[in-house]
Amino acid sequence: MVVISVKRFTEIQNFIRNYHGLFVNCNMELEAKFPEYSSDTLGSITAKEVVQRVKSNHSKISAKAASLVKEYQTTARQTLAHDVLQKMAIELQIPSVVLCRILLAKIYSDMAKSEVNEMLRMPDLIPDSLLAVNVSYCLYSETMDGPITDLVRRFIGEEYEVRLKKMARDAGMVFYDEGDLRRTGYDKTPDLKMAVPFMYRGQVINWIESKASFGDMESHKRYVKDQLSSYGNRFGPGIVIYWFGYLETIADCPENGNYVIVTDGFPAKDEMEFLTFNLPAIVEDDDTGSEDNRITK
C-alpha cells in the first residue's frame, strides 16, 4: 500500500518547496531521498505542489510581465543563449512554459490568445528566431506544464482507466462505463457504474472512480465537491482509487460522508463479495411437451 503519513508528506513538500532547479532534477533527487516511494507517486506530489505554486504566484508574475520581457531581451541580446527563459523560470520557481506563456502574451499583445497558444505549441511560428529557440528549449525540457506534458498526463489517465476496466472484467463485475452513461443522458459520470453492486469490506459499492495521481487533502476535497459527492448522491457509496497512493488523513475526512471510500488500488479478491443468483431450471413436461419453470436450490 502507498499510504503516506502526514509527517512524511510534509517532509516531501518541504523538499520540493525549498528546491531551486529544474523540476526533472527535483524528481530525481526526491527518488534518492525517499526511495520507499515510486517515481509516479513522487512525481504526482511534485506536480500538485507546482500547480498550487503557480496558482498562488501567477497574478504577481503576470503583473511584472513588462519588466520580465525587458530582462529577457537584455540577457538574450548579450548572450544569444538558448536557455535564458529556462534560467529565469528557475529563479521564479515556476514551470518554464508558464513563463513562456506570460511573456509571449505580453510581447505579442496585439495577437489573439489562440494565436499565442499556437506559437507556444509550435515555436517555429514565433517571428523572433532567438525567442523561438528559447521557447522550444523550455517546451521540450519541461515536465510540469505545457502541451507535451498535458498529452502525457492524458495518456496516463486513459491507461489507468483501461487497466481498471480490465481488472473489473477479470473480477467478474458487470458495469457501465462513462460512454454508456453519457449515452443515457448522464452528465457527471464515474469511470465505472456497477450494473450489479458488490460488497467491499462489508460496504455496498455502486461505482468506481480512477485517479492516476496522488491523493492529497486539497485535491481530494475538490474531487469530492466537484465529482464524487454527486456520484454518491445519485448512485450510493463507491470507491475512488488513487493509483499513486494517498495521504493517510483523506480516507477518514468528513467530506467523504457515507459515500466515498478511498483506496490505492483495485480491491483484492478476498475483499469483495458478489451477488449470486439461483436461476430457475427449465423442466419439460413428459405428457404435453410444455415447459415448467421450477426454482432449484
Side-chain angles (χ1 to χ4, degrees):
M1 291 181 64
V2 186
V3 181
I4 300 182
S5 68
V6 173
K7 179 182 177 182
R8 201 62 167 157
F9 181 67
T10 302
E11 291 175 3
I12 296 170
Q13 282 183 310
N14 289 336
F15 182 92
I16 297 167
R17 291 170 181 176
N18 295 325
Y19 190 85
H20 289 267
L22 295 175
F23 292 114
V24 64
N25 293 335
C26 178
N27 282 341
M28 291 173 64
E29 293 188 34
L30 272 174
E31 290 173 32
K33 187 173 179 63
F34 302 94
E36 65 269 37
Y37 305 121
S38 71
S39 59
D40 288 332
T41 296
L42 295 171
S44 182
I45 294 173
T46 302
K48 293 191 174 188
E49 278 293 309
V50 172
V51 166
Q52 186 56 45
R53 183 185 301 171
V54 171
K55 285 181 179 178
S56 301
N57 298 328
H58 192 275
S59 60
K60 297 177 184 177
I61 296 171
S62 296
K64 57 180 183 178
S67 63
L68 290 171
V69 168
K70 185 176 180 180
E71 179 185 343
Y72 161 74
Q73 291 174 336
T74 300
T75 306
R77 280 195 299 266
Q78 291 173 349
T79 65
L80 300 179
H82 64 279
D83 59 352
V84 177
L85 286 178
Q86 186 183 77
K87 288 178 178 178
M88 289 175 62
I90 290 173
E91 286 300 313
L92 293 167
Q93 290 189 287
I94 61 171
S96 56
V97 172
V98 172
L99 179 61
C100 291
R101 190 178 291 114
I102 291 172
L103 296 197
L104 285 173
K106 187 65 177 179
I107 294 170
Y108 300 103
S109 57
D110 57 329
M111 291 187 177
K113 184 178 180 180
S114 59
E115 293 178 283
V116 174
N117 288 337
E118 190 68 6
M119 285 194 292
L120 185 63
R121 193 176 69 85
M122 301 180 63
D124 289 348
L125 298 175
I126 299 173
D128 183 329
S129 60
L130 184 55
L131 179 58
V133 169
N134 266 268
V135 172
S136 293
Y137 191 71
C138 293
L139 182 65
Y140 296 116
S141 60
E142 183 56 68
T143 60
M144 289 293 126
D145 194 0
I148 295 174
T149 301
D150 292 344
L151 191 63
V152 169
R153 287 176 180 163
R154 193 183 79 190
F155 285 159
I156 291 173
E158 291 176 355
E159 174 191 343
Y160 276 89
E161 286 181 22
V162 170
R163 184 180 300 189
L164 172 63
K165 290 179 185 178
K166 183 179 186 305
M167 289 178 166
R169 292 190 187 98
D170 291 346
M173 294 179 182
V174 182
F175 59 84
Y176 304 106
D177 63 18
E178 288 180 286
D180 298 327
L181 293 171
R182 286 193 177 127
R183 281 190 291 272
T184 59
Y186 289 105
D187 50 355
K188 290 186 177 182
T189 60
D191 291 314
L192 301 184
K193 164 67 175 68
M194 298 299 113
V196 180
F198 67 95
M199 299 289 288
Y200 170 68
R201 297 180 180 176
Q203 173 70 63
V204 175
I205 299 300
N206 298 278
W207 51 268
I208 302 177
E209 179 73 7
S210 170
K211 299 293 183 187
S213 64
F214 178 84
D216 65 287
M217 185 61 77
E218 182 179 347
S219 62
H220 178 67
K221 286 183 177 180
R222 187 173 63 252
Y223 288 142
V224 172
K225 179 182 177 182
D226 296 343
Q227 296 178 297
L228 306 181
S229 62
S230 65
Y231 304 160
N233 291 332
R234 182 174 295 173
F235 304 121
I239 289 173
V240 56
I241 302 175
Y242 288 105
W243 294 103
F244 302 156
Y246 59 87
L247 181 65
E248 61 179 356
T249 50
I250 74 170
D252 300 315
C253 71
E255 285 78 4
N256 293 340
N258 297 319
Y259 297 121
V260 179
I261 298 169
V262 179
T263 73
D264 66 336
F266 192 81
K269 186 176 181 181
D270 60 1
E271 296 177 314
M272 297 185 290
E273 294 180 53
F274 295 93
L275 291 174
T276 57
F277 299 92
N278 290 326
L279 298 177
I282 300 176
V283 180
E284 184 176 308
D285 188 285
D286 290 337
D287 296 329
T288 64
S290 64
E291 294 182 344
D292 178 25
N293 290 338
R294 299 179 184 175
I295 299 176
T296 61
K297 296 184 179 180

